[in-house]
Amino acid sequence: MPKNRFLIALFYFAFWYFYFVLVRIAFLLTYIEDAAQLSSGELLRTFWYGFKLDASAAAYAGFIPALLLIVTAPWEAKWLRLFYNIYSAIIILFFTSIALGDLVLYGHWGIRLDATPFFYLKDIRTASASLDTGSIAGYILLLFLLSAGVYLLYHFLFRNRFRQLKSIKSLWFTVPAFLMLGITIRGGLGVSPLNVSYAYFCNNLFANHAAINPVWNVGAGIFDYQQLNKSYAYFPEAEENTYLAALSAKKEDHTRLLKTNKPNILLVIVESFTSKVLQRYGAHPEIMPEFNRLIQEGIFFDQIYAASDRTDKGIAAVISGYPSLPASSPLKYPNILSKMPSLARSLDSAGYQSTFIYGGTLEFANYKSYLVQAGYKALVSDIDFPRQQLETKWGAYDEKVLDKTLEVIQGNKAPFFVTTLTLSSHDPFTIPIAPLYQGNDRDTLFLNAIHYTDQCIGKFIAKAKQQAWWENTLVIFIADHGSPSPGNSSPEDTRKYHIPMLWLGGAIACKDTVINTLGAQTDLAATLLHQLQLPASPFTFSHNIFAQTNPYALSTYGEGFVFISGADTLRYNTINNTFKQAVPAKENLSKAYLQQLYTDLKKKNTY
């Protein structure tokens, strides 16, 4: 029968297309509270605008099988049925694992699954630290059950299709079908190939996310994984420089926060430390009583915003004053690491001894490669802790990490530069003390974890004050990034990126001081170096907070950025290239900043 092969290709494509429709329905049902906020028209349009991505993903799935239907046309090729069965079983398992992972991670990350997890899965043990054994087992069981159900449906639909296949005439049907699959994969015959922007149709971020096909999104992300091929070139160079000049305009600054130009420096980067947990921003004082008290003993920077939303991006922002492109991280590009500035390298040239301390593995997310190339002379990680102290899936609890910090400092010569990264306030939020609040929802677990970290900070500072080095030491607390908890802040919500920065220690010249100037996480490097009277010129994206004429902060997430300038907040989506609220006077400034970062990354990424 000439049409049999064509019908197999057609029905196979249709099978996968409706599979992805069911995946979208499952997504909407999983996040029913968000879906309920959409109108019936918006719900329908998630399917309409998701059509091309669904069809493209279905075409990818059917491409190799369709090619075999063409190649084997002169023969009966009874083995085709076996090939389809095995191939389909593998693809069903793979696609379902992506779809199920997307359902789980969306609630945590607020973006549809892309290639990002594959970056973290280089160290699979650490990447799975947020999951307990029960969760992993439940995921695997559910994955196999769902995959088995989908496979049984496939088997029911295709069990009788592989008959009377020998027909050279079938090429009249299968070759055009194969070509159509190629066109569908590309998204049509237009000038621009298919991209995720086709799924964006309104200002409601969840509606746009619902239209995205997670399998297609992962595939696109993997394809672009090591390439900076997303262009952010908005302006000619001369026009870009005009906007950048307005952003970087400086004023004279004689602010002195320190008693000395060469204090010891202890930089503590606190995991997921959002301003939302502090009393001054409306949180209950019992959540972080120690830090609330320490604010009165130091210099508190009231308006600091994180560069992005992951730790690998956060340490690049803090240590190198280097921001992240949307949906990317500087640590993803090995070529640029040695070309990035760093506080460790700058302070090393001034005679400092640098050490980085972390209670987990430094192989995760390329931390180690970055830190070595950043100039840290000593790295302390999980391998330097007794095995019995590695009590969490991420590594050692914060109390042990901060005790290790005291131990390391005791063995360092002055002046020292020690950087400590905490981890207990990271999902899954396990703590070794009785919880402050009862409950197992994400917000409650997070608050209990950050409360534990606060206790550790209080004990650590109390011990540090007893040390001889305290009087000549600057202690800086800052977050690696903010947090959606508490309150499940969306990626477009400035509260997600608002983070504390506190300077303490015997080296500070004033206490109980609040700095209300707007600043970015990336500005720590230049601000600190200015206070130390050291050059900060290599830190292109870092600015002395006290010298900025037009202070601003830009925070990136998976598909856009939030730009804060004065009283204005702009939200830009880099997928469909639109601002959510128009602020014409500031729009080009924010895009010029992104273009500058893109150009710099492209330049650094060359061999």
Side-chain angles (χ1 to χ4, degrees):
M1 295 289 289
K3 293 184 179 180
N4 279 3
R5 287 176 180 256
F6 168 73
L7 291 175
I8 290 173
L10 177 63
F11 289 146
Y12 199 70
F13 169 81
F15 169 80
W16 282 113
Y17 174 76
F18 285 107
Y19 169 88
F20 292 124
V21 169
L22 290 175
V23 167
R24 180 168 295 105
I25 292 172
F27 177 81
L28 291 169
L29 290 175
T30 301
Y31 297 98
I32 188 67
E33 291 184 5
D34 294 303
Q37 304 302 314
L38 305 181
S39 67
S40 56
E42 287 173 326
L43 286 171
L44 290 174
R45 278 182 285 171
T46 65
F47 293 90
W48 176 255
Y49 282 88
F51 169 78
K52 280 194 173 184
L53 297 183
D54 292 344
S56 177
Y60 270 113
F63 193 77
I64 293 176
L67 180 61
L68 285 179
L69 289 173
I70 293 172
V71 172
T72 62
W75 303 282
E76 185 69 24
K78 294 182 179 180
W79 55 268
L80 272 177
R81 177 177 179 177
L82 179 62
F83 168 81
Y84 263 78
N85 290 346
I86 296 174
Y87 174 85
S88 298
I90 294 172
I91 296 298
I92 287 170
L93 186 64
F94 179 59
F95 284 6
T96 305
S97 69
I98 291 175
L100 192 56
D102 173 67
L103 289 179
V104 173
L105 289 175
Y106 185 82
H108 297 293
W109 290 7
I111 60 172
R112 298 306 295 268
L113 191 65
D114 56 16
T116 300
F118 293 89
F119 173 54
Y120 298 115
L121 285 174
K122 288 179 179 179
D123 180 358
I124 193 165
R125 181 180 65 85
T126 307
S128 62
S130 294
L131 302 173
D132 56 37
T133 304
S135 298
I136 295 173
Y139 173 85
I140 293 173
L141 178 61
L142 185 58
L143 170 62
F144 279 104
L145 288 175
L146 290 173
S147 299
V150 175
Y151 183 80
L152 288 174
L153 177 61
Y154 153 81
H155 183 73
F156 174 78
L157 295 173
F158 286 87
R159 59 184 176 179
N160 296 320
R161 292 251 165 233
F162 296 90
R163 296 177 180 177
Q164 298 180 5
L165 294 181
K166 182 178 180 181
S167 174
I168 197 71
K169 292 181 180 180
S170 65
L171 293 176
W172 288 102
F173 301 98
T174 51
V175 170
F178 181 75
L179 294 176
M180 282 301 300
L181 286 178
I183 294 171
T184 303
I185 285 173
R186 189 180 183 277
L189 296 173
V191 175
S192 175
L194 185 65
N195 59 71
V196 74
S197 66
Y198 282 84
Y200 283 71
F201 63 91
C202 70
N203 285 331
N204 187 299
L205 196 60
F206 177 79
N208 296 327
H209 285 172
I212 294 173
N213 181 298
V215 172
W216 188 94
N217 210 39
V218 167
I222 292 174
F223 182 77
D224 294 336
Y225 181 58
Q226 290 292 346
Q227 302 179 41
L228 285 168
N229 60 355
K230 166 67 176 174
S231 177
Y232 297 100
Y234 302 110
F235 313 108
E237 185 176 355
E239 186 178 357
E240 176 194 6
N241 289 337
T242 299
Y243 296 129
L244 292 177
L247 278 179
S248 58
K250 298 290 190 294
K251 61 185 178 182
E252 193 171 358
D253 171 43
H254 299 289
T255 306
R256 297 301 301 153
L257 301 180
L258 305 177
K259 298 175 183 176
T260 172
N261 294 335
K262 205 166 187 177
N264 302 309
I265 301 169
L266 171 57
L267 174 61
V268 182
I269 305 174
V270 181
E271 170 67 43
S272 302
F273 192 10
T274 171
S275 292
K276 292 185 288 184
V277 297
L278 297 179
Q279 181 180 3
R280 66 185 297 111
Y281 303 110
H284 197 285
E286 67 182 2
I287 297 172
M288 296 202 75
E290 297 295 332
F291 201 86
N292 291 331
R293 178 181 54 78
L294 290 174
I295 288 174
Q296 300 172 20
E297 298 182 13
I299 304 165
F300 186 71
F301 292 76
D302 188 57
Q303 292 295 319
I304 303 297
Y305 289 85
S308 197
D309 53 3
R310 307 294 299 177
T311 302
D312 52 299
K313 304 172 187 179
I315 60 175
V318 172
I319 296 167
S320 294
Y322 209 87
S324 296
L325 287 172
S328 186
S329 165
L331 272 62
K332 285 185 179 181
Y333 306 103
N335 294 341
I336 79 167
L337 298 185
S338 63
K339 303 169 188 176
M340 292 169 63
S342 82
L343 282 172
R345 197 178 299 120
S346 292
L347 294 173
D348 178 66
S349 63
Y352 280 79
Q353 180 178 347
S354 59
T355 306
F356 189 93
I357 303 170
Y358 179 54
T361 175
L362 290 177
E363 279 69 32
F364 182 65
N366 218 21
Y367 292 174
K368 189 174 184 178
S369 176
Y370 165 71
L371 294 168
V372 168
Q373 295 180 78
Y376 280 92
K377 300 304 181 184
L379 302 178
V380 177
S381 64
D382 55 346
I383 60 175
D384 300 295
F385 288 78
R387 179 173 291 275
Q388 63 269 23
Q389 289 187 4
L390 303 178
E391 301 175 83
T392 80
K393 290 190 174 182
W394 284 108
Y397 282 116
D398 286 352
E399 184 173 11
K400 302 301 182 184
V401 173
L402 292 172
D403 283 346
K404 175 67 74 172
T405 299
L406 290 172
E407 178 186 325
V408 168
I409 290 175
Q410 289 300 108
N412 280 1
K413 294 180 180 179
F416 59 75
F417 172 52
V418 173
T419 304
T420 296
L421 174 63
T422 72
L423 55 75
S424 293
S425 45
H426 192 292
D427 190 343
F429 312 122
T430 56
I431 56 175
I433 62 171
L436 178 65
Y437 299 119
Q438 297 301 313
N440 291 313
D441 60 281
R442 184 176 178 82
D443 279 2
T444 301
L445 294 174
F446 170 73
L447 291 176
N448 287 332
I450 202 72
H451 174 70
Y452 164 69
T453 296
D454 179 70
Q455 283 192 12
C456 297
I457 289 172
K459 292 177 183 177
F460 170 75
I461 293 297
K463 293 177 183 177
K465 288 178 178 177
Q466 305 304 313
Q467 310 302 316
W469 47 261
W470 174 260
E471 285 305 314
N472 193 46
T473 298
L474 167 64
V475 181
I476 301 175
F477 285 97
I478 194 170
D480 58 346
H481 52 79
S483 172
S485 295
N488 195 28
S489 301
S490 80
E492 295 178 321
D493 189 342
T494 57
R495 291 176 299 174
K496 181 177 179 180
Y497 309 102
H498 189 199
I499 59 173
M501 181 166 73
L502 176 64
W503 291 21
L504 283 171
I508 61 173
C510 51
K511 298 183 178 180
D512 198 12
T513 300
V514 176
I515 307 298
N516 297 120
T517 306
L518 174 65
Q521 184 184 34
T522 49
D523 293 335
L524 168 61
T527 304
L528 175 60
L529 291 173
H530 178 78
Q531 292 296 317
L532 301 176
Q533 297 186 5
L534 295 174
S537 54
F539 295 81
T540 306
F541 298 93
S542 185
H543 306 286
N544 175 12
I545 288 174
F546 301 103
Q548 283 290 90
T549 302
N550 302 304
Y552 65 92
L554 185 139
S555 305
T556 64
Y557 56 96
E559 56 221 348
F561 64 71
V562 177
F563 181 75
I564 305 171
S565 174
D568 297 312
T569 299
L570 289 76
R571 295 168 176 84
Y572 184 69
N573 189 293
T574 55
I575 304 300
N576 57 17
N577 296 315
T578 59
F579 284 94
K580 193 166 186 179
Q581 297 94 11
V583 187
K586 303 289 179 69
E587 291 175 2
N588 288 344
L589 297 179
S590 63
K591 291 168 73 174
Y593 179 93
L594 195 64
Q595 179 171 329
Q596 181 191 25
L597 174 58
Y598 167 74
T599 303
D600 191 72
L601 270 171
K602 289 280 284 187
K603 181 180 178 180
K604 283 182 167 64
N605 199 43
T606 57
Y607 285 94

